Each structure stands twice: as structure tokens, then as C-alpha cells.
Amino acid sequence: LAKTTQPISMDSYEGQEVNITCSHNNIATNDYITWYQQFPSQGPRFIIQGYKTKVTNEVASLFIPADRKSSTLSLPRVSLSDTAVYYCLVRNNTDKLIFGTGTRLQVFP
Amino acid sequence: NAGVTQTPKFQVLKTGQSMTLQCAQDMNHNSMYWYRQDPGMGLRLIYYSASEGTTDKGEVPNGYNVSRLNKREFSLRLESAAPSQTSVYFCASRGRTETYEQYFGPGTRLTVT
């Protein structure tokens, strides 16, 4: 399983764009990159998944360069309610899904 | 459609006591998981079950046992609780979809004194 590395914490202000980068140097050919969001006292929830290039949904965008050794979760115009922990996972077609330590995002008014 | 439910929500145990955490899902998912989350830390996989009748160890299985009772239910048992097992326990399930999206329960907050 590919190991992931993320910043421990980030701060931002309301209305700014936030980019959280995840490093996964030993990603395998059939691995996908998945991001989850966790609010205090709740279980994580799925945000977005990608394999290469760019994926966008109503919540976020995910940018993956050609070598796929890193990925960047982009949150446009964050609000206070985006304060949470964000996890990057690399998974293949197995059921063993491992979370890393995550990035704690704090949004200030 | 309740999703993933966990019981109990809170539990206090004394060292050496045993208990079983219950998890059930109503989404007809094949895979189920147990994670623990210590204060201020990330989630760590304890055990998982890829399908009814199968279970596999995760990152931190010591001190725990699991039972996949049927497709809906996946229980986690602590035979002899230790203070190091004080944590929030999350159950999750996943269907056979392209995104491998996991759905998490609300968690069980366990304190071992």
C-alpha cells in the first residue's frame, strides 16, 4: 500500500482558496487517490476521487500531475464550515483502506 | 435508510472488562470496517471484512476480535479492556462501486479506566 504524506495543519481565511497537497511517491499503476473530510465528533465522509489529471465536483477539485506522485485537493472560497480534517488515501482494488494522519484545516473569519 | 448505525454511543469500562461494539448497515454493502481514532490523531484500521464470512487484520488488531455475523452486521469485541484502548471507534461500510466510497457510522466513544 502506498504511504501518503500531508501537512499536519493549515490555516486560511474565509473566501480564500485552499490547496492541500498529498505526497504518495510509491503509488502503483492501479491505485486511485481519494480524499475524505472529517468534522469533529463525526466519521469521515467521501469528498472526491481521481486517477489522473483533474477531477471536479460540487465540493472540490482534485489535481493529479502526470507522474501521479502527488495530488492536490483544492477547496474554492472556503467558509468557516470547511474547518475540518482532510485525509488523502491511496487505494487499489483491495478492501484494506488505510487512513493517514490527515491535514487539520482551520478557517478564520 | 439509516446508513451505518453503531451501539452504544458511549461506554465506560474498567480495566479487564469485556464488551462488544455493534455495527449494522442497511445499504447492502459487502465490505465493512472497524477503525479507532485516538484524540487528535488519524484513523487506524483494526479489522475489516471484505464479504460475509471473511475477516482480515488491519493495522492495529491486537486486543480485538471481530465477527461478521451476516451481511448487515459486523461486531468488534474487546476481551480484556486496557486503558490504551480508550478511543473513538468508527464502523464503516463500502459497496462495490467505482469510487470505493466508505460510509461511516457516528462512532462509539469508549473510555477504559
Side-chain angles (χ1 to χ4, degrees):
Chain A
L1 293 169
K3 180 177 167 56
T4 60
T5 304
Q6 305 174 233
I8 293 174
S9 64
M10 296 181 69
D11 292 336
S12 182
Y13 291 94
E14 282 192 293
Q16 290 187 331
E17 179 184 73
V18 171
N19 295 308
I20 305 173
T21 297
C22 179
S23 172
H24 27 80
N25 289 319
N26 59 339
I27 191 168
T29 303
N30 59 348
D31 286 344
Y32 282 75
I33 299 143
T34 308
W35 286 80
Y36 281 77
Q37 175 190 57
Q38 185 182 25
F39 297 116
S41 301
Q42 295 184 25
R45 73 176 185 118
F46 174 89
I47 301 177
I48 197 167
Q49 174 180 281
Y51 183 79
K52 61 180 179 180
T53 63
K54 177 183 174 182
V55 179
T56 297
N57 62 22
E58 66 278 5
V59 175
S61 294
L62 179 60
F63 298 90
I64 305 168
D67 67 5
R68 303 199 328 120
K69 293 185 184 300
S70 66
S71 58
T72 299
L73 176 73
S74 181
L75 305 172
R77 297 180 298 281
V78 294
S79 64
L80 295 176
S81 63
D82 292 314
T83 292
V85 179
Y86 293 83
Y87 296 94
C88 163
L89 283 77
V90 171
R91 63 100 182 148
N92 53 28
N93 292 326
T94 70
D95 284 284
K96 192 171 186 178
L97 298 173
I98 304 291
F99 282 74
T101 54
T103 298
R104 192 173 300 272
L105 173 65
Q106 179 68 54
V107 180
F108 295 97
Chain B
N1 189 333
V4 179
T5 57
Q6 294 183 234
T7 55
K9 287 188 169 51
F10 301 92
Q11 184 71 48
V12 179
L13 292 177
K14 292 187 182 336
T15 298
Q17 288 185 318
S18 62
M19 79 160 295
T20 299
L21 282 64
Q22 305 287 354
C23 174
Q25 51 91 10
D26 61 2
M27 296 174 281
N28 200 36
H29 285 168
N30 290 304
S31 304
M32 297 187 73
Y33 306 79
W34 277 106
Y35 292 89
R36 62 176 287 177
Q37 185 171 38
D38 299 337
M41 306 294 285
L43 286 88
R44 291 186 290 172
L45 180 64
I46 305 172
Y47 271 94
Y48 64 103
S49 170
S51 62
E52 186 179 350
T54 68
T55 60
D56 286 286
K57 295 179 180 179
E59 302 172 273
V60 289
N62 291 343
Y64 305 95
N65 285 302
V66 291
S67 295
R68 183 74 184 267
L69 304 169
N70 47 56
K71 192 171 186 179
R72 289 187 65 248
E73 299 172 289
F74 189 38
S75 63
L76 178 72
R77 182 160 179 84
L78 286 72
E79 291 291 351
S80 179
S84 61
Q85 294 179 304
T86 293
S87 192
V88 179
Y89 290 84
F90 288 103
C91 177
S93 71
R94 181 185 70 76
R96 295 207 183 282
T97 65
E98 188 177 320
T99 63
Y100 269 60
E101 178 179 354
Q102 285 177 299
Y103 294 83
F104 282 80
T108 294
R109 190 173 299 273
L110 175 67
T111 301
V112 183
T113 61

